[in-house]
Amino acid sequence: MPEASPAHDHALIRDLVGRAAHLADEGTPDDYRTLYTHDATWTFGASTQNGIEEIVASARQRRAEGISGPETATRHLVVPLHVTVDGDTADAVSYFLFFGDTTSAPVVRVFGVYTDELTRTPEGWRIHRRVSRVG
Amino acid sequence: MPEASPAHDHALIRDLVGRAAHLADEGTPDDYRTLYTHDATWTFGASTQNGIEEIVASARQRRAEGISGPETATRHLVVPLHVTVDGDTADAVSYFLFFGDTTSAPVVRVFGVYTDELTRTPEGWRIHRRVSRVG
Amino acid sequence: MPEASPAHDHALIRDLVGRAAHLADEGTPDDYRTLYTHDATWTFGASTQNGIEEIVASARQRRAEGISGPETATRHLVVPLHVTVDGDTADAVSYFLFFGDTTSAPVVRVFGVYTDELTRTPEGWRIHRRVSRVG
């Protein structure tokens, strides 16, 4: 196991945010279990998903409705802006762009901001709280 | 204080470039003081802002004119491409996309390049010289 | 020479992916020699370029045809999502957006994914295998 360092934590957290985007587009709903803590919350405007089961269920529903995920010609472009590590917790702010029509004439459907609180777990860094804001 | 390392400097500089984007969108003009050295210059085409006071004043003017900043439905998507650290100075090149209409149908108004020279100060890395090119 | 560390490798690989974008837009075809191994392959759909000479020749052709490179008002926005280092090899997945009309009204012409295998060489990290997928 590589030694912990602030720089390594930064790299791992940027990777985590990137994997969250990639798995939203190409993974399965259950893959979200590798991204979020068991008690994670994800707030999107007035709506909050409480706990990993609700987060997975919500991803499953978006897939069922064709909103996002494989075969929907959508992708999440997520760019981490800054990461602040404080021991076993961290904060990260990222811009996200939700693209549609990626197989033809790609268009930005949503521009927003993720504000993440992250936690170091025995399995690595996980998102503990994500707040999505649009605009 | 964490030990300096090339990797940590890379992470801090990527964070600085990201914070510059974030604060341009959600911060105050005075927040630019946390990003630039006192004697920083920012060149945009034929125009150059000399020193932090001109940089802050220019940000204030863009806010007053509704060009960018909070409540203007604009955002800066900034992606650092590569960072080269040489002791207490560094170079970074980033692509920036200035988006408008972010709360409705986001559109790229400007695509450009930042070429940054950075300096390590007692308060952390700061931008010493930024050149913005469009296109 | 700075000591190797997982975090430093991460930073160097992100830089390499970023330089590949930057040089595709502003460099020369021969600059690709600083990005790829001698025996690198680049697969784009059903087509594969085998070895650095084919990769350079293909870049030269794109320039000759005005498809990309300087003076074509195009740019590659490339965002590394996650990097996994295993000793002297690494994997990286990035999203790329190929923009046209960057000097007037920038438009996303292509949204795609780079899946890269990288190798540590005496001259630094290099791309050994790149697969580009569109959509």
Side-chain angles (χ1 to χ4, degrees), chain A residues 3 5-8 10-11 14 77 79-84 93 95-97 99 107-113 133-135, chain B residues 2 5 7-8 11-12 14-19 21-22 25-26 75-80 99 102-106 108:
Chain A
E3 62 191 307
S5 75
H8 197 218
H10 268 250
R14 285 180 179 266
L77 184 76
V79 176
L81 296 179
H82 47 89
V83 177
T84 306
V93 174
Y95 281 172
F96 74 89
L97 290 83
F99 278 81
V107 59
V108 181
R109 292 207 187 131
V110 181
F111 195 134
V113 184
R133 282 183 294 130
V134 166
Chain B
S5 75
H8 197 218
L12 294 173
R14 286 181 179 266
D15 276 3
L16 173 61
V17 171
R19 275 194 294 127
H22 192 205
D25 299 335
E26 300 196 351
R75 284 198 184 271
H76 294 77
L77 185 76
V78 179
V79 177
F99 278 82
T102 56
T103 53
S104 50
V108 181

Side-chain angles (χ1 to χ4, degrees), chain C residues 3-67:
Chain C
E3 62 191 307
S5 75
H8 197 217
D9 286 332
H10 268 249
L12 294 172
I13 289 167
R14 287 179 178 265
D15 276 4
L16 173 62
V17 171
R19 274 194 294 128
H22 192 204
L23 291 174
D25 298 335
E26 300 197 349
T28 69
D30 279 316
D31 285 332
Y32 281 70
R33 300 178 192 279
T34 68
L35 304 171
Y36 291 87
T37 62
H38 186 75
D39 60 348
T41 61
W42 187 352
T43 298
F44 202 107
S47 162
T48 293
Q49 299 157 24
N50 284 290
I52 188 62
E53 298 306 330
E54 285 191 18
I55 290 171
V56 170
S58 177
R60 211 179 298 279
Q61 189 175 350
R62 287 193 298 278
R63 303 295 175 92
E65 294 176 0
I67 294 172

